[in-house]
């Protein structure tokens, strides 16, 4: 059985993960509208991964006898000022999500909820990868994306990103 604080934090995190998916769907749509289909694909893969994260949280709650309540997800945008802007926003967003995961970890640690700590270990590691992936993309955009030929090459490269199911199975 989960403590009420942990349950609430995990429920909130379900919302944050699906909100992340929604944000990335907006970014996917922005790039698709600019015919940058590789960038659009990169964010499409993000959308699928975020849905996985939300579903893993839900399943963990269910596995512990808890049926989550769903709260409203805020509106998002598909309108950005520049090709770089969604990348900056995505990085800031991942840093925020890392803070939220860390907050749940902290609460589970204080409550000596060792089961939840083990569950969250995967997310702690995943957040490291999420931040690095976007940071790498920003660096590559800054190196190669400033002229049309470089942007075309980078877009072609990003078109090759494929979705893989999460390594965590519940
Ligand atoms: Fe779910 O990792 Fe990004 O937000």
């Amino acid at each position: 059985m989960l403590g009420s604080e942990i349950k609430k934090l995990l429920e909130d995190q379900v919302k944050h993960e699906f909100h992340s998916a929604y944000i990335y769907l907006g970014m996917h749509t922005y790039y698709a509208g600019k015919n940058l289909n590789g960038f659009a694909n990169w964010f499409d893969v993000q959308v699928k991964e975020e849905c996985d994260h939300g579903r893993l949280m839900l399943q963990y709650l269910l596995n512990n006898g808890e049926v989550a309540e769903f709260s409203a997800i805020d509106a998002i945008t598909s309108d950005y000022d520049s090709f770089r802007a969604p990348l900056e926003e995505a990085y800031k967003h991942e840093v925020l999500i890392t803070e939220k995961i860390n907050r749940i970890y902290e609460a589970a640690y204080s409550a000596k909820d060792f089961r939840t700590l083990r569950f969250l270990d995967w997310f702690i590691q995943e957040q490291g990868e999420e931040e690095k992936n976007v940071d790498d993309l920003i660096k590559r955009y800054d190196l190669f994306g400033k002229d049309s030929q470089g942007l075309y090459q980078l877009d072609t490269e990003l078109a090759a990103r494929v979705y893989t199911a999460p390594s965590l199975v519940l």
Side-chain angles (χ1 to χ4, degrees):
M1 179 157 179
L2 301 174
S4 59
E5 186 193 7
I6 302 294
K7 183 197 172 208
K8 177 76 175 74
L9 286 167
L10 289 169
E11 258 178 4
D12 285 348
Q13 194 59 32
V14 170
K15 179 179 84 170
H16 298 316
E17 298 295 343
F18 282 101
H19 186 222
S20 301
Y22 205 32
I23 289 170
Y24 294 147
L25 197 56
M27 293 174 180
H28 159 83
T29 303
Y30 165 75
Y31 286 117
K34 302 288 181 192
N35 281 334
L36 284 170
N37 294 323
F39 282 82
N41 173 63
W42 197 91
F43 278 101
D44 192 45
V45 172
Q46 279 305 106
V47 171
K48 290 174 184 149
E49 289 191 358
E50 299 303 350
C51 290
D52 287 339
H53 298 168
R55 295 194 73 141
L56 283 166
M57 294 275 171
L58 276 174
Q59 190 59 50
Y60 180 75
L61 284 161
L62 283 167
N63 288 356
N64 286 278
E66 305 286 359
V67 176
E69 286 177 30
F70 292 80
S71 48
I73 294 178
D74 291 341
I76 51 95
T77 186
S78 57
D79 184 23
Y80 291 93
D81 290 344
S82 66
F83 297 153
R84 195 181 193 276
L87 310 180
E88 292 166 35
E89 288 302 314
Y91 181 75
K92 276 194 261 170
H93 183 71
E94 285 305 329
V95 170
L96 186 73
I97 294 298
T98 298
E99 284 168 14
K100 291 184 183 303
I101 296 284
N102 288 349
R103 170 74 192 91
I104 313 173
Y105 200 93
E106 205 180 355
Y109 189 81
S110 302
K112 295 190 169 52
D113 180 347
F114 301 113
R115 192 187 308 161
T116 299
L117 287 174
R118 283 204 69 179
F119 167 68
L120 289 173
D121 278 341
W122 185 87
F123 285 88
I124 296 280
Q125 188 175 343
E126 175 71 7
Q127 278 314 118
E129 288 169 23
E130 291 278 79
E131 286 184 27
K132 183 179 185 311
N133 285 345
V134 192
D135 189 46
D136 284 352
L137 184 49
I138 292 172
K139 286 178 179 145
R140 278 155 68 212
Y141 178 82
D142 287 344
L143 277 172
F144 309 117
K146 299 285 173 57
D147 69 77
S148 54
Q149 198 178 348
L151 185 64
Y152 179 78
Q153 295 272 352
L154 184 55
D155 191 56
T156 304
E157 194 185 311
L158 297 180
R161 186 184 189 198
V162 290
Y163 163 77
T164 46
S167 55
L168 179 64
V169 179
L170 295 179

